[in-house]
Amino acid sequence: MKLLESLLFGLLLGLGAALPLADVTGEDTTLPDRCDGLEFDAITPDEKGNIIFFKGKHLWVGFNGPAQLSNGLFKELDDDHHIGHVDAAFRMHNPENHDDHDHVYFFLDDKVFSYYNQALEAGYPKAIQDDFPGIPSHLDSAVECPKGECVDNSVLFFKGHDVHVYDIATKVVKIKTWSNLPVCTSVLRWLEHYYCFHGHNFTRFNPLSGEVSAGAYPKDARNYFMNCADFGHGRDHQITKCSEVKLDAITINEEGKKYFFTGPLYMRLDSHRDGFHPFSITRAWKEMVNGVDAVFSYTDKIYMIKDDQVYIFKSDAHNTLIEGYPKSLKEELGIEGPVNAAFLCPGQDTVHIIKGGMILDIDLSATPRTVTRDFPLPISNIEAAYCDEKGVNVFKGSSYYHYESAFTLSVSRIAPQAEQITREMMGCQE
């Protein structure tokens, strides 16, 4: 009998990997897989730019990684209501009031919870009407909408096809009906665009009119917002350790958007509120199929250099290649390629080209363009550089060197102490 019990026990252990997990109450504790094609209950960035996806009693942090229990990060949601899901969530954009700017709000039935750094704020939960008068309960979704993208700093609350536009400053609510959009079970503002999630798909829309953006919508979220086998949009290309970062170029355009380029990928560095996410360069600049050697921005244009060719794009929503380009480096800038790096300082007309161990100055306001000055550099093998109001940073591998100005860089004969790229700078892993 004991032998039979032992054999049965061993058989059960062997089957354990194939059976759903259960806790002592008999509840199924198998973790859901969002790559199966889930309809999320809510999606929101937190105050650090991590995107959080909610489904039932589970959540996912970021575009990678497995599910975890929601009450592991936000325990009061379950302690107070035991309903096992979030109706809607958004991150507050209220720069005039630092007490609630970047706080994350969760809506459950007729209650609202405010969190900061995963800690519940004093006085919460509250009735939705106490915090957001005029907003109904049992919402479908919600999203922040900063001034400039909406008329004023606002929150869009979705219930069915009705959108309640809540003015943060005045607390005035205007109701719009967007029947052209699907019913949004979650809405996300990400990198200045707005996405309505429905089923396992999403539709991008205009936050002022509800108009669906140009393109083939809906699209499968698994191609864009998570890393799934047999799906993908360059999402499996990730910057890993900071010590392994190798840059090809960095530039800042006139709007203050900062981009870095590495291999076939680029990333927005000024978008830390939305997290750091790499994309294929061809997603934004479709002609740059072989990557870049150097990039710089001048007026409303971005110059991309590869080998001995210069591509000039308009810095607009479509990054349109200007007619007649690419042209040779000799024709456009009066130099031979290849080059290592390039940068302009704010408000200047002189582009500084790093070529081998030299820095070459070219006046972009002059015709024809020729080298006006050249100097030897105190550092060899520079790979990328940019200039802002704080000075010039030049990059070599995972190290960078700071100079007070382009002039200081050009006349220095001794390199400053190397500093290391950090996670805060580029979203890499320490």
Side-chain angles (χ1 to χ4, degrees), residues 47-48 73-74 102-104 115-121:
E47 68 282 350
K48 296 178 181 177
L73 292 181
F74 307 101
D102 276 350
H103 288 212
V104 181
Y115 280 85
Y116 190 78
N117 282 333
Q118 299 173 11
L120 184 67
E121 294 293 299

Side-chain angles (χ1 to χ4, degrees), residues 65 258 350 419:
K258 183 189 293 185
T350 297
E419 301 181 57

Side-chain angles (χ1 to χ4, degrees), residues 76-388:
E76 295 87 357
L77 298 180
D78 190 57
D79 290 347
D80 281 286
H81 281 250
H82 305 283
I83 62 173
H85 76 279
V86 173
D87 292 332
F90 76 92
R91 180 183 59 189
M92 175 64 79
H93 181 82
N94 189 9
E96 289 79 24
N97 185 350
H98 295 289
D99 290 338
D100 64 354
H101 181 61
D102 276 350
H103 288 212
V104 181
Y105 286 82
F106 299 103
F107 297 82
L108 291 78
D109 293 339
D110 61 351
K111 301 293 184 184
V112 58
F113 297 70
S114 175
Y115 280 85
Y116 190 78
N117 282 333
Q118 299 173 11
L120 184 67
E121 294 293 299
Y124 287 88
K126 297 179 180 179
I128 293 175
Q129 290 289 322
D130 290 344
D131 233 4
F132 299 94
I135 300 304
S137 59
H138 300 281
L139 293 161
D140 290 323
S141 52
V143 68
E144 63 179 277
C145 190
K147 184 177 181 178
E149 296 169 23
C150 281
V151 176
D152 292 297
N153 290 319
S154 306
V155 182
L156 308 182
F157 293 95
F158 293 73
K159 187 165 184 176
H161 289 290
D162 289 340
V163 181
H164 297 72
V165 182
Y166 180 88
D167 187 302
I168 295 172
T170 66
K171 299 188 177 181
V172 171
V173 178
K174 295 181 180 179
I175 301 176
K176 302 179 180 181
T177 300
W178 291 344
S179 54
N180 59 305
L181 268 184
V183 173
C184 307
T185 60
S186 54
V187 178
L188 174 66
R189 175 186 179 269
W190 187 57
L191 296 175
E192 301 160 6
H193 296 307
Y194 291 77
Y195 301 91
C196 164
F197 288 77
H198 45 97
H200 59 78
N201 296 317
F202 70 89
T203 296
R204 183 175 148 191
F205 67 94
N206 184 311
L208 283 172
S209 65
E211 180 182 359
V212 175
S213 301
Y217 289 100
K219 296 182 179 180
D220 196 314
R222 290 170 290 185
N223 284 322
Y224 297 85
F225 291 94
M226 58 203 77
N227 190 359
C228 299
D230 302 323
F231 294 89
H233 198 71
R235 189 63 57 200
D236 55 335
H237 300 285
Q238 298 287 340
I239 296 298
T240 53
K241 295 181 179 179
C242 294
S243 59
E244 297 174 353
V245 171
K246 182 183 182 300
L247 300 178
D248 294 324
I250 296 184
T251 190
I252 306 173
N253 69 13
E254 64 176 1
E255 297 177 346
K257 296 178 180 178
K258 183 189 293 185
Y259 301 89
F260 89 60
F261 301 82
T262 177
L265 305 176
Y266 81 94
M267 185 183 291
R268 279 270 303 275
L269 295 182
D270 62 293
S271 59
H272 62 278
R273 293 187 77 248
D274 291 325
F276 296 106
H277 305 285
F279 298 97
S280 170
I281 293 174
T282 54
R283 178 179 184 267
W285 301 277
K286 61 185 178 65
E287 292 83 1
M288 306 307 299
V289 294
N290 295 314
V292 299
D293 294 332
V295 179
F296 66 90
S297 299
Y298 179 60
T299 61
D300 60 346
K301 300 176 181 64
I302 183 168
Y303 291 62
M304 294 187 165
I305 300 172
K306 181 63 180 178
D307 299 326
D308 62 349
Q309 298 287 302
V310 180
Y311 299 72
I312 304 181
F313 296 86
K314 294 180 181 178
S315 292
D316 55 20
H318 305 290
N319 291 313
T320 307
L321 182 66
I322 291 179
E323 186 176 355
Y325 286 86
K327 293 182 179 179
S328 70
L329 267 170
K330 185 68 175 177
E331 181 181 3
E332 184 66 29
L333 298 177
I335 61 174
E336 302 288 346
V339 301
N340 300 89
F343 66 92
L344 263 83
C345 292
Q348 300 298 309
D349 295 315
T350 297
V351 61
H352 307 278
I353 302 289
I354 296 175
K355 178 177 169 65
M358 302 292 292
I359 181 168
L360 316 176
D361 290 355
I362 299 171
D363 185 355
L364 296 177
S365 65
T367 303
R369 293 167 174 170
T370 58
V371 175
T372 57
R373 294 193 309 170
D374 59 89
F375 298 92
L377 286 166
I379 303 169
S380 60
N381 301 317
I382 291 174
E383 297 161 340
Y386 74 89
C387 181
D388 60 16

